[in-house]
Amino acid sequence: TQLLEQSPQFLSIQEGENLTVYCNSSSVFSSLQWYRQEPGEGPVLLVTVVTGGEVKKLKRLTFQFGDARKDSSLHITAAQPGDTGLYLCARNTNAGKSTFGDGTTLTVKP
Amino acid sequence: DTGVSQDPRHKITKRGQNVTFRCDPISEHNRLYWYRQTLGQGPEFLTYFQNEAQLEKSRLLSDRFSAERPKGSFSTLEIQRTEQGDSAMYLCASSLAPEFSEQYFGPGTRLTVT
């Protein structure tokens, strides 16, 4: 089983702080997606990373793919209450289905 | 069309009853996926279709679960003789094959079995 380990499981911070969450695997990803999910809703795709060492930015979010393509991180600068949610990483198999980690639940307090 | 839709959004049923959920994917997407998510966990793959063909089913999927996509457009997921352990969020996603596929999720159907 190609598990995805996400850490931390829970994170609670004050508005304006920075944070980083991680996604790790023992095997190589062909590609990796990050999603954000709000309670009672489906996951919303944030980004796909494909190339080892790749860095993508989405406003205050910075996504990094490890050189060996076995890990990824998501850094949020100056977090806002609207960033609150469950952050999931997922890998695609050759068949296209996704295997998800169990996510990091982020709470940003005003 | 703006995204994947699912119906109903919530379903409460008694143990032993059958339930059916519907998913309408993004119109040009040929792949459709069903996932199940329980509290504190990420989505877990159940099955997927390419057009009308069901290409893979999870080994975790019991024979009480069946899914169809008869015309390669919308899909239904039926659970027969529901059990309390079936309580979960059922998510549908669609994508455009081939290559690595970015999946777009619907809002989910929350099933509660009492």
Side-chain angles (χ1 to χ4, degrees), chain A residues 31-49:
Chain A
S31 68
L32 182 139
Q33 286 88 40
W34 283 95
Y35 292 83
R36 177 171 165 269
Q37 185 177 23
E38 296 190 21
E41 299 293 333
V44 175
L45 180 66
L46 297 174
V47 77
T48 298
V49 287

Side-chain angles (χ1 to χ4, degrees), chain B residues 1 12-13 18 29 34 43-44 46-47 53 55 70 77 93 111:
Chain B
D1 177 82
I12 300 174
T13 191
N18 299 343
H29 284 182
W34 285 99
E44 176 186 43
L46 294 179
T47 187
L55 297 186
L77 177 68
L111 173 66

Side-chain angles (χ1 to χ4, degrees), chain B residues 1-42:
Chain B
D1 177 82
T2 56
V4 179
S5 61
Q6 292 187 245
D7 183 70
R9 293 293 309 276
H10 303 276
K11 179 70 177 180
I12 300 174
T13 191
K14 293 185 177 180
R15 187 175 53 191
Q17 297 295 304
N18 299 343
V19 293
T20 300
F21 309 141
R22 176 179 170 125
C23 171
D24 287 88
I26 294 171
S27 57
E28 63 268 27
H29 284 182
N30 55 358
R31 283 193 174 174
L32 186 149
Y33 305 81
W34 285 99
Y35 293 83
R36 176 172 62 192
Q37 185 177 26
T38 54
L39 195 62
Q41 296 191 331

Side-chain angles (χ1 to χ4, degrees), chain B residues 24-107:
Chain B
D24 287 88
I26 294 171
S27 57
E28 63 268 27
H29 284 182
N30 55 358
R31 283 193 174 174
L32 186 149
Y33 305 81
W34 285 99
Y35 293 83
R36 176 172 62 192
Q37 185 177 26
T38 54
L39 195 62
Q41 296 191 331
E44 176 186 43
F45 171 77
L46 294 179
T47 187
Y48 91 97
F49 294 83
Q50 180 155 322
N51 301 313
E52 66 274 12
Q54 188 173 18
L55 297 186
E56 186 173 349
K57 288 177 64 173
S58 167
R59 286 170 290 178
L60 301 174
L61 204 61
S62 81
D63 57 9
R64 296 183 297 105
F65 287 71
S66 62
E68 294 183 344
R69 195 183 183 198
K71 298 182 179 179
S73 56
F74 73 91
S75 175
T76 58
L77 177 68
E78 181 182 16
I79 309 174
Q80 296 181 326
R81 305 181 302 281
T82 52
E83 301 172 357
Q84 287 187 320
D86 297 331
S87 295
M89 174 77 90
Y90 288 85
L91 294 164
C92 175
S94 69
S95 71
L96 191 59
E99 305 296 333
F100 67 87
S101 50
E102 296 182 345
Q103 297 181 20
Y104 295 87
F105 282 81

